[in-house]
Amino acid sequence: MQAMQKMMGDMKMPGFDWEAIMAANRRNMEAFAQANQLAAEGAQTIVVSRRTALLETLADEIVKAGGLRPYIIGADLYDRATPERIRDEVIGRFGHIDILVNNAGGSRSTTVDAPDEVWDESFAINFTAVRKMTIAFLPAMQARKWGR
């Protein structure tokens, strides 16, 4: 319960089922560790990545450790329409989410004089995707007066 209590603060209500969505890239082991921890504490996790095989491996590890199998969404957050599609799928299946963990993105070596396309791609995944995921889920959290 330590990880959820840290994220949720003093606001956890008895008997409340937690739904958490994680968006991550393949190198972001922190997101996978968070998914493992939340699942171990009873949360239903939803994991998102372009690499569904990696998510299947994560799901198998979580189940093997006794957690609920994560709901897997294979999606590319570089596509600007993806966050709304993810929101619609998640809300349609679970009704709500309680925690949104934006861990998408990453870095790669580039030079200062790299073409604008390289910088635009980096900005799109490291900033725009995070902003759009937040904007996609925030209204539902605000309507419920709950969310992290």
Side-chain angles (χ1 to χ4, degrees):
M1 291 302 264
Q2 292 174 345
M4 270 199 283
Q5 286 175 344
K6 185 175 181 181
M7 284 189 207
M8 304 312 262
D10 296 330
M11 301 177 74
K12 186 166 178 22
M13 297 178 283
F16 200 79
D17 294 325
W18 300 107
E19 268 67 89
I21 186 166
M22 325 297 255
N25 70 24
R26 70 182 174 86
R27 292 178 298 261
N28 195 333
M29 299 317 293
E30 180 182 331
F32 295 153
Q34 290 169 334
N36 268 306
Q37 184 65 43
L38 289 169
E41 294 178 15
Q44 171 63 63
T45 56
I46 300 123
V47 292
V48 178
S49 177
R50 289 180 293 154
R51 295 166 183 89
T52 55
L54 186 67
L55 296 180
E56 290 291 347
T57 299
L58 170 67
D60 291 343
E61 289 173 10
I62 287 173
V63 169
K64 186 177 178 181
L68 292 172
R69 183 168 193 83
Y71 183 71
I72 294 172
I73 300 175
D76 187 352
L77 290 172
Y78 185 70
D79 177 351
R80 289 179 179 234
T82 297
E84 290 177 352
R85 183 183 64 79
I86 292 170
R87 179 206 54 217
D88 294 346
E89 185 174 342
V90 169
I91 299 300
R93 182 170 179 101
F94 296 100
H96 70 279
I97 67 162
D98 299 299
I99 305 168
L100 172 64
V101 179
N102 270 313
N103 276 331
S107 63
R108 63 180 177 179
S109 296
T110 191
T111 60
V112 173
D113 60 346
D116 285 347
E117 294 79 22
V118 172
W119 290 100
D120 291 344
E121 179 184 357
S122 179
F123 195 77
I125 197 66
N126 288 298
F127 174 75
T128 304
V130 170
R131 180 183 61 84
K132 290 188 74 65
M133 282 291 285
T134 301
I135 289 169
F137 284 98
L138 188 59
M141 290 178 166
Q142 289 173 323
R144 291 183 67 228
K145 297 183 181 352
W146 183 257
R148 298 283 185 267

